[in-house]
Amino acid sequence: MIHTNPDGTIANVPNSTTIGAGVTIDPSAQVSSNVEIHDRVYIHEGADIRSNVVIGIDSGIGAGTTIGSGARIGKNSCISAGVFISGRATIDADTTIEAGAYIREGVVIKENAKIRGNVYIGRNTHIDEGSNIGAGAYISAEASIGTRTNIGEGAWIKDSARIGAGVTIGEGARIQNGSVIGTNEVVIAFNGLRWKVTIYNNNNTPSMKIGCQFHTIEAWEEFDDAKISNMSPDASEFWAIYKRLLIPLAQTHCAAQPSQAAKA
């Protein structure tokens, strides 16, 4: 299929591509099958957009950037040149990712986050809204970065570390595996199900991480079947069985934690 850009240049894309109004695709960019490109997206020269990617309205994909299969890019996001975003990553609205960043599979970056140049983010890491990750920072797998957190340039956050909301980590800091900084302790965690489940009292907001999906309990309660099924092919079956157990468990234990702390 031939796509005509607003400036009159043309780009060849698969017939399965969905393209909104005012989209520009540089003729040298590569777009694979079943890609969904919303209004006014700009894809620069040499970019590689792989299959089943969704790019939200008014977003820009920089020169030479690769967006892996199944990734989701939210509206008004700016992905700079030379970025690599692996498959199944989710980049929410109004996010900025600067040049040279490398985002591994299963990463979730929430809205208004800023990822500075040459940052590495390991698989299944969750970065909450409004956070700022300094240039050259290295965040290993399965980490969790809270809302409006600042990670300094060149900092190293190792596997499964949890950084709470509003925390500032200085330049060049080293946070060890499994560290918990500036947030309430884990309430309960267990590994006997299809995915590891961890329940947190995250700044007095009950939250739960199932596999790589980290959300508040309120959000988990509100997710519909479509949202759950998009998380993983077998997520719907899992949630149909365990929702009635996990939601009350999280609410009960998180409610009990402050009174236990007061007694101590």
Side-chain angles (χ1 to χ4, degrees), residues 244-255:
R244 289 173 292 178
L245 167 67
L246 294 175
I247 294 292
L249 181 66
Q251 292 169 331
T252 299
H253 281 266
C254 290

Side-chain angles (χ1 to χ4, degrees), residues 33-111:
S33 60
N34 299 310
V35 170
E36 186 177 324
I37 305 171
H38 289 260
D39 296 352
R40 299 179 298 281
V41 165
Y42 199 116
I43 299 175
H44 288 262
E45 63 270 18
D48 182 3
I49 313 301
R50 298 182 180 172
S51 61
N52 301 302
V53 166
V54 176
I55 304 174
I57 63 172
D58 295 315
S59 290
I61 308 299
T65 284
T66 296
I67 310 295
S69 297
R72 299 291 186 266
I73 310 298
K75 66 180 182 179
N76 300 316
S77 290
C78 179
I79 313 299
S80 296
V83 170
F84 186 94
I85 298 176
S86 297
R88 299 185 299 104
T90 298
I91 313 299
D92 272 1
D94 302 300
T95 295
T96 298
I97 301 179
E98 293 184 355
Y102 192 105
I103 314 297
R104 290 292 303 273
E105 62 273 10
V107 167
V108 175
I109 300 175
K110 303 300 285 185
E111 58 269 19

